[in-house]
Amino acid sequence: LTAFCVRVFHQATFQEWESFLFIDPKVISKAVRWLLKQQSFEGAFCETTTYPYDRKMNLTSSRIKDPVKYRNISLTAHVLITLVEVSDLSGELGAEVVRAKRGAQRYLEKMLHSIRDSKDPYEIAIVAYALTLVNSVDGEAAFNALDSKMKEAAGLRYWGREPVPPPAIRIDSNRPHLLPRLPLKYDALNVETTAYALLTHIKRQAVIQREIVHWLNAHRSTDHGWASTQDSIVAMQALMEFAIESRLRDVIDVTVTVEVPSLAGFSRSIHVDENNFSRLQKIEIPRAFGTVVVKAQGSGAALVQLSVDYNVDWQHLITPPPVPAFHLDVRASYSGRNSSHLTIHSCQSWTLQSESRTSGMAVLEVSLPTGYIIEQHELHGYVRSHRVRNLREARFREGEIVFFFEHLDIAPICVTFTVQRWFPVANMTRYLPVKVYDYYAPGKYPISSRGFLKRN
């Protein structure tokens, strides 16, 4: 996590931005010094906690009779990428970074043979990118191993632990209709792996790039990101690198027309050129129903995405998770005058013991009835009281409370809190969703359990 924050801070450090976003260089330097202290004598970087937030950074070795359970290969590659990006540090610290990079490079080169046959392509993807950045002599071998794990679906190229079906299309009246994409088991992992593979292909000027870009764009979520934070940042970096290298800005001149046959006379057009290509343009479709027809003319590339929001009250209508990984038990009771106080008791636990003994960083989202709130300082006090095991943070947002746990295990961890009604609202739904998921793998365990707070 520290390495990732250093990378993001360094990327956001621009002199032109300092009036709006200033990042003290001392913060980056102190974080880099702390990272260097975590390097072993053989060059690997090791986690400082027994339960890492992001478990893919500490994958278990699958080699037969391997006496070492954790090789920290992906974590070492992750830190090496960060050290390459902050190579502009000067003085004694800069010299220490250079030595640390050489050590990490040698370690990855030594361990390359042990991940070539791994079932999970994430390690080889991030290692191939790291070795490519440092111009390693083994970079070509890592790239070839990466390409050997490439998968294809409907002309799109990607990397994943399991095959990913292509975007679903239904033919109606001889016209293709693109259907919504359902969550898959390894969404976040597949996106980040494919993004690192694309970065490697771009750095090595490989032929196959556009097919990878199309796959990444096809897996965006409706909020313009992907499955989670980390995979979204890496995917966005890869797409920006592709846009720069392919010089898309120089040739873009596209007109997109959106028509809705169910709404008589509804037709809207958007023009994208070099002056506005980075600006998000939206079209609101009132009373949307049925087919939406999108037509494009011109040159270049533009991304069109359809987002539909709707409410579901019934449990059997909820899209089930691909893998049940959590157990969730939620209870609610009303008290006070006209049910002005709502006390919620939620217990959650990790059940996918075949995968690991604990989850990564887990998130519990509890929806609240409209008009009910809780003061943020109450949540801060609840966390600081340490009454709840592994609870690290709690936030109140409009309409929901979010709890962050260091990890969940097989023993239930329960939270109890009371919200108060500040604004009376009539005709509210009787069902309020509650969900728990792994922060770094919501694609693998999306909305793994969802309960409903039923109002009396």
Side-chain angles (χ1 to χ4, degrees):
L1 182 60
T2 301
F4 192 73
C5 290
V6 169
R7 193 190 311 180
V8 173
F9 284 169
H10 185 266
Q11 291 172 348
T13 303
F14 286 101
Q15 187 174 0
E16 295 85 353
W17 293 4
E18 289 186 354
S19 300
F20 309 97
L21 176 63
F22 174 74
I23 299 175
D24 191 343
K26 294 181 181 178
V27 173
I28 298 178
S29 298
K30 289 180 179 179
V32 170
R33 285 193 176 93
W34 184 88
L35 283 174
L36 298 183
K37 293 178 181 179
Q38 315 310 318
Q39 191 174 27
S40 67
F41 70 93
E42 58 181 351
F45 285 89
C46 307
E47 274 290 2
T48 59
T49 175
T50 307
Y51 304 103
Y53 287 157
D54 190 358
R55 289 173 298 150
K56 67 176 177 291
M57 289 298 173
N58 202 15
L59 297 176
T60 302
S61 173
S62 59
R63 295 197 302 167
I64 300 176
K65 298 181 179 180
D66 191 346
V68 180
K69 185 177 181 181
Y70 297 112
R71 288 291 181 178
N72 299 295
I73 299 173
S74 51
L75 179 61
T76 301
H78 175 70
V79 178
L80 177 57
I81 293 170
T82 296
L83 296 180
V84 171
E85 295 198 8
V86 299
S87 57
D88 56 347
L89 297 173
S90 58
E92 182 182 349
L93 179 59
E96 292 179 8
V97 168
V98 172
R99 289 193 294 269
K101 285 193 299 183
R102 284 200 295 262
Q105 177 182 340
R106 286 194 298 267
Y107 179 76
L108 294 179
E109 292 170 346
K110 182 176 67 174
M111 299 304 300
L112 180 59
H113 69 282
S114 68
I115 61 174
R116 286 178 174 173
D117 299 326
S118 174
K119 295 180 181 179
D120 190 344
Y122 178 79
E123 281 188 319
I124 189 62
I126 193 171
V127 168
Y129 180 56
L131 293 180
T132 297
L133 285 180
V134 296
N135 297 317
S136 168
V137 293
D138 288 332
E140 184 71 24
F143 178 71
N144 292 334
L146 175 65
D147 266 13
S148 69
K149 297 183 180 297
M150 182 190 302
K151 293 182 173 64
E152 181 179 0
L156 307 181
R157 306 294 181 94
Y158 69 97
W159 283 257
R161 186 179 294 185
E162 295 181 353
V164 177
I169 296 177
R170 184 187 68 204
I171 304 298
D172 191 3
S173 300
N174 294 325
R175 304 181 76 174
H177 290 70
L178 187 63
L179 302 180
R181 190 182 67 86
L182 297 177
L184 298 174
K185 187 176 179 180
Y186 297 105
D187 268 345
L189 183 61
N190 292 341
V191 168
E192 189 171 345
T193 303
T194 302
Y196 276 122
L198 176 58
L199 285 169
T200 306
H201 276 68
I202 294 172
K203 289 294 183 182
R204 304 191 72 86
Q205 298 181 345
V207 175
I208 298 177
Q209 294 185 25
R210 192 173 296 272
E211 297 88 341
I212 308 174
V213 170
H214 290 333
W215 187 92
L216 284 174
N217 279 328
H219 286 75
R220 285 176 180 261
S221 63
T222 55
D223 59 357
H224 318 296
W226 280 263
S228 68
T229 303
Q230 189 158 305
D231 67 294
S232 295
I233 293 177
V234 179
M236 187 61 68
Q237 178 186 353
L239 293 179
M240 288 191 295
E241 292 284 348
F242 173 78
I244 294 172
E245 293 296 327
S246 58
R247 305 182 65 87
L248 291 176
R249 182 175 181 175
D250 298 339
V251 297
I252 188 167
D253 187 7
V254 179
T255 299
V256 178
T257 303
V258 177
E259 300 175 353
V260 183
S262 61
L263 300 177
F266 185 95
S267 178
R268 302 287 188 275
S269 295
I270 290 177
H271 184 70
V272 182
D273 56 27
E274 62 178 1
N275 298 316
N276 66 354
F277 79 102
S278 61
R279 179 168 60 89
L280 176 65
Q281 301 185 59
K282 295 184 178 181
I283 295 177
E284 296 288 340
I285 303 177
R287 304 181 306 279
F289 176 80
T291 301
V292 176
V293 180
V294 179
K295 302 177 182 178
Q297 292 180 322
S299 61
L303 176 67
V304 179
Q305 188 167 358
L306 176 65
S307 174
V308 180
D309 294 324
Y310 57 92
N311 184 59
V312 176
D313 276 350
W314 300 100
Q315 177 80 43
H316 68 278
L317 296 177
I318 298 294
T319 302
V323 178
F326 294 92
H327 175 73
L328 181 63
D329 182 20
V330 185
R331 300 177 184 179
S333 60
Y334 290 85
S335 60
R337 184 178 179 181
N338 295 325
S339 301
S340 60
H341 288 66
L342 169 61
T343 300
I344 298 174
H345 181 74
S346 175
C347 294
Q348 40 282 328
S349 60
W350 172 258
T351 59
L352 195 59
Q353 296 295 305
S354 61
E355 179 77 22
S356 63
R357 294 179 59 187
T358 66
S359 71
M361 185 171 71
V363 182
L364 172 68
E365 295 180 356
V366 182
S367 298
L368 301 178
T370 305
Y372 284 78
I373 71 167
I374 186 172
E375 297 284 355
Q376 182 62 49
H377 69 83
E378 295 183 43
L379 294 176
H380 286 327
Y382 188 53
V383 174
R384 287 195 295 265
S385 69
H386 300 293
R387 285 181 288 169
V388 180
R389 182 169 59 95
N390 296 340
L391 180 62
R392 293 295 176 262
E393 189 173 351
R395 302 174 186 168
F396 171 72
R397 301 173 182 168
E398 185 177 356
E400 72 174 0
I401 299 178
V402 184
F403 296 91
F404 295 87
F405 299 90
E406 185 176 83
H407 68 272
L408 294 178
D409 50 36
I410 197 170
I413 296 179
C414 302
V415 295
T416 303
F417 58 94
T418 299
V419 295
Q420 301 180 33
R421 186 180 63 214
W422 282 34
F423 310 102
V425 179
N427 299 323
M428 293 190 298
T429 176
R430 297 176 62 209
Y431 298 89
L432 298 168
V434 180
K435 60 182 178 181
V436 58
Y437 57 91
D438 190 310
Y439 180 83
Y440 285 100
K444 186 176 181 182
Y445 316 113
I447 312 180
S448 294
S449 293
R450 182 185 284 256
F452 283 84
L453 300 178
K454 186 175 180 180
R455 300 183 67 246
N456 297 322

